[in-house]
C-alpha cells in the first residue's frame, strides 16, 4: 500500500444488499476501520454486524451519536439520500453517499449547501472511474494515443435486477431507472475522460409497466414501474466531443459495446464501468488488431471474480482527501453527473436541448492505490 495513512473510523448507514460489498472493499485498506453499521430495521443491522464482524450496530440516531464514527458511508435507498446525508453532515460527520447524490437536482443543491456550511467533506459514488480501467483509458487520452477525441458511444443494458435482487422496487422508483441507477457509472467514466457536458438532447419512455420479480429470496412478486426504463440521448461535451448514449432496462440481450471513444487517430474500447477493472483496448488507424493496454494502476480486485463487486475506493478517496490529497469523487463532479442525467427527462418533457447549470473540472488522474 505504500506510505502510511491516518486511520479513519467508518460507520455504514444502510444494511441492505450492497452493505457487504462495502465492508469487504473497505477492509482492503488498513487505514479504514468499520466500527458500526446502522439501519432503520435494527434486526437487519444486527445480522449484518454478525455476518461481517462489525463491533457495533443499531439505528441511524445511534450511529450519528457515536463519537467514534468519523465518516458515514450512506447506502440507503436514493429517495432517502438527501435527508440522511444532511443529518449526518449536521452531526459533524464526513459523508460518502452511494449514487445518486440525491433523488432530485433540487435536493442535491440542498445537500451541497449543507456540506459547505458544515465544513465537513462530502463524497459520492460512483467511484468506479477511480479503478484501473477508466484510469487507463484516461491516461491513453491524455497522452494522445488516439489523437483528439471526436465522439463516443455508451450503452447501458439491463442488469436484470428483478432476477437477483430480493426487493427491486427502488430500481423502478424515484431516483432509480436505468438513467439514475446505471447511468452514473457510464457518465462518470465519460466526464472523467472527456470533461463536463455542455448540452444534451434526449428521448425517454417506459417499456413494460410492471416487472415480475423472480429472485429466489424475493420479498415482492411484482414491481410497478414509476420511472422511464428506456432512454436515448446525444451529449455534447465542452471539449467538443459528442457522445451517443443508450440507457435501458428493456435491453436484456445485445452485442453492443459498453463504452467506445473515437479519436482522430484511433478508437478506445472500455469495459463495463460498473466494475473497477477490466481490459481497455485500443486500435489505431492502420492497426490490424486490437491491443490491450497495460493498466496504469493496480487492480482493485481480480477481474472475473466476486471481488469486482466490492465497493470502497471512493471512501478511501475521501479519507485521503482529509489529509490533503486530491478529492476526485467530489461534490461538484457528483452534482454535474446528477444534473446531466436528470436533464434526460427535462429534454423529453419539454422537447428541447437541456443545458446544465453546473460544470466541473476533470478529476485529477490517479496512478496508484
Amino acid at each position: 500500500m505504500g506510505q502510511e495513512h491516518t486511520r479513519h473510523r467508518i460507520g455504514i448507514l444502510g444494511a441492505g444488499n450492497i452493505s457487504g460489498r462495502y465492508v469487504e472493499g473497505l477492509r482492503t485498506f488498513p487505514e479504514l476501520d468499520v466500527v458500526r453499521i446502522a439501519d432503520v430495521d435494527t434486526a437487519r443491522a444486527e445480522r449484518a454486524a454478525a455476518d461481517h464482524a462489525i463491533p457495533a450496530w443499531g439505528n441511524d440516531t445511534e450511529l450519528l451519536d457515536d463519537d467514534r464514527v468519523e465518516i458515514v458511508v450512506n447506502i440507503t435507498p436514493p429517495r432517502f439520500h438527501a435527508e440522511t446525508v444532511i443529518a449526518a453532515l449536521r452531526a459533524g460527520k464526513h459523508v460518502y453517499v452511494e449514487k445518486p447524490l440525491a433523488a432530485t437536482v433540487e435536493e442535491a443543491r440542498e445537500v451541497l449547501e449543507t456540506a459547505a456550511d458544515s465544513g465537513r467533506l462530502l463524497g459520492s459514488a460512483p467511484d468506479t472511474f477511480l479503478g484501473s480501467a477508466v484510469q487507463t483509458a484516461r491516461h491513453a487520452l491524455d497522452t494522445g494515443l488516439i489523437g483528439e477525441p471526436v465522439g463516443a458511444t455508451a450503452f447501458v443494458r439491463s442488469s436484470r435486477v428483478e432476477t437477483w435482487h430480493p426487493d427491486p422496487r427502488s430500481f423502478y422508483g424515484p431516483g432509480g431507472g436505468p438513467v439514475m441507477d446505471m447511468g452514473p457509472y457510464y457518465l462518470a467514466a465519460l466526464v472523467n475522460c472527456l470533461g463536463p457536458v455542455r448540452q444534451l438532447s434526449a428521448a425517454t419512455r417506459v417499456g413494460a409497466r410492471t416487472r415480475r420479480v423472480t429472485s429466489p429470496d424475493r420479498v415482492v412478486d411484482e414491481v410497478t414501474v414509476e420511472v422511464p426504463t428506456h432512454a436515448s440521448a446525444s451529449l455534447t461535451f465542452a471539449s467538443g466531443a459528442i457522445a451517443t448514449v443508450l440507457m435501458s432496462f428493456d435491453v436484456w440481450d445485445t452485442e453492443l459495446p459498453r463504452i467506445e471513444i473515437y479519436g482522430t487517430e484511433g478508437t478506445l474500447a472500455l469495459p463495463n464501468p460498473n466494475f473497477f477493472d477490466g481490459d481497455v483496448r485500443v486500435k489505431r488507424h492502420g492497426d490490424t488488431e486490437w491491443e490491450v493496454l497495460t493498466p496504469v494502476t493496480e487492480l482493485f480486485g481480480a477481474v472475473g471474480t466476486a471481488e469486482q463487486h466490492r465497493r470502497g475506493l471512493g471512501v478511501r478517496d475521501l479519507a485521503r482527501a482529509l489529509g490533503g490529497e486530491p478529492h476526485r469523487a467530489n461534490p461538484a463532479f457528483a452534482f454535474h453527473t446528477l444534473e446531466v442525467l436528470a436533464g434526460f427527462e427535462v429534454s423529453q418533457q419539454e422537447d428541447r436541448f437541456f443545458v446544465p447549470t453546473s460544470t466541473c473540472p476533470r478529476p485529477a488522474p490517479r496512478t496508484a492505490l
Side-chain angles (χ1 to χ4, degrees):
M1 289 291 181
Q3 69 183 87
E4 300 236 348
H5 293 273
T6 303
R7 289 182 65 83
H8 299 278
R9 295 181 299 278
I10 310 293
I12 296 177
L13 179 59
N17 192 59
I18 200 173
S19 60
R21 300 181 186 182
Y22 266 93
V23 174
E24 292 172 8
L26 293 171
R27 284 179 174 164
T28 65
F29 303 111
E31 70 266 32
L32 303 181
D33 187 12
V34 179
V35 298
R36 179 179 281 274
I37 188 165
D39 199 281
V40 291
D41 181 348
T42 54
R44 184 162 64 174
E46 183 179 13
R47 288 194 299 271
D51 289 344
H52 301 289
I54 301 171
W57 56 271
N59 60 33
D60 55 343
T61 300
E62 291 170 314
L63 184 149
L64 297 185
D65 287 342
D66 189 338
D67 291 336
R68 295 176 304 162
V69 173
E70 179 187 5
I71 299 171
V72 171
V73 175
N74 186 338
I75 52 176
T76 60
R79 66 183 181 276
F80 300 121
H81 282 182
E83 63 181 274
T84 51
V85 169
I86 288 171
L89 290 168
R90 288 176 176 168
K93 312 296 187 184
H94 304 289
V95 181
Y96 180 85
V97 62
E98 250 301 332
K99 51 80 188 164
L101 180 63
T104 67
V105 171
E106 292 71 24
E107 289 182 347
R109 286 196 177 98
E110 186 179 359
V111 168
L112 263 59
E113 290 171 2
T114 303
D117 291 342
S118 71
R120 302 292 93 181
L121 205 57
L122 172 65
S124 177
D127 60 350
T128 47
F129 76 93
L130 299 173
S132 69
V134 178
Q135 291 298 313
T136 298
R138 166 71 179 269
H139 182 263
L141 291 167
D142 288 352
T143 55
L145 188 61
I146 63 167
E148 179 186 353
V150 175
T153 52
F155 298 103
V156 176
R157 70 283 305 272
S158 178
S159 63
R160 308 184 184 190
V161 63
E162 53 265 51
T163 68
W164 56 266
H165 197 289
D167 187 2
R169 284 175 290 186
S170 65
F171 292 86
Y172 292 98
V179 175
M180 288 300 184
D181 177 52
M182 294 300 297
Y185 299 109
Y186 288 73
L187 186 59
L190 290 173
V191 172
N192 180 71
C193 287
L194 302 174
V197 174
R198 180 171 61 82
Q199 69 175 21
L200 67 91
S201 176
T204 68
R205 60 160 292 178
V206 175
R209 295 281 173 175
T210 58
R211 307 288 166 127
R212 189 165 64 91
V213 181
T214 59
S215 170
D217 54 349
R218 62 188 176 275
V219 298
V220 294
D221 293 322
E222 190 174 82
V223 173
T224 299
V225 176
E226 301 177 64
V227 293
T229 58
H230 188 88
S232 180
S234 176
L235 280 60
T236 302
F237 293 80
S239 63
I242 299 171
T244 301
V245 175
L246 173 70
M247 299 181 178
S248 181
F249 280 173
D250 297 296
V251 175
W252 276 43
D253 300 289
T254 177
E255 295 180 349
L256 294 169
R258 298 288 185 170
I259 296 177
E260 290 182 342
I261 300 176
Y262 313 109
T264 55
E265 297 179 22
T267 296
L268 278 176
L270 283 66
N272 187 348
N274 189 25
F275 299 138
F276 291 92
D277 309 296
D279 287 346
V280 176
R281 298 177 299 134
V282 64
K283 191 172 184 181
R284 289 169 54 84
H285 299 341
D287 289 348
T288 57
E289 302 290 340
W290 290 88
E291 175 190 354
V292 176
L293 297 178
T294 301
V296 299
T297 71
E298 298 176 46
L299 305 187
F300 187 50
V303 178
T305 73
E307 290 180 352
Q308 282 295 302
H309 294 282
R310 298 186 305 195
R311 291 292 187 260
L313 208 53
V315 182
R316 194 278 288 170
D317 177 66
L318 182 149
R320 293 195 177 177
L322 291 172
E325 296 187 27
H327 188 196
R328 299 173 178 87
N330 59 64
F333 183 85
F335 182 85
H336 183 67
T337 301
L338 171 63
E339 187 184 19
V340 169
L341 293 172
F344 281 35
E345 194 61 9
V346 176
S347 179
Q348 163 69 32
Q349 292 177 352
E350 300 182 7
D351 192 22
R352 64 174 177 87
F353 277 99
F354 174 78
V355 179
T357 63
S358 64
T359 188
C360 66
R362 296 166 76 205
R366 192 177 66 80
T367 56
L369 288 173

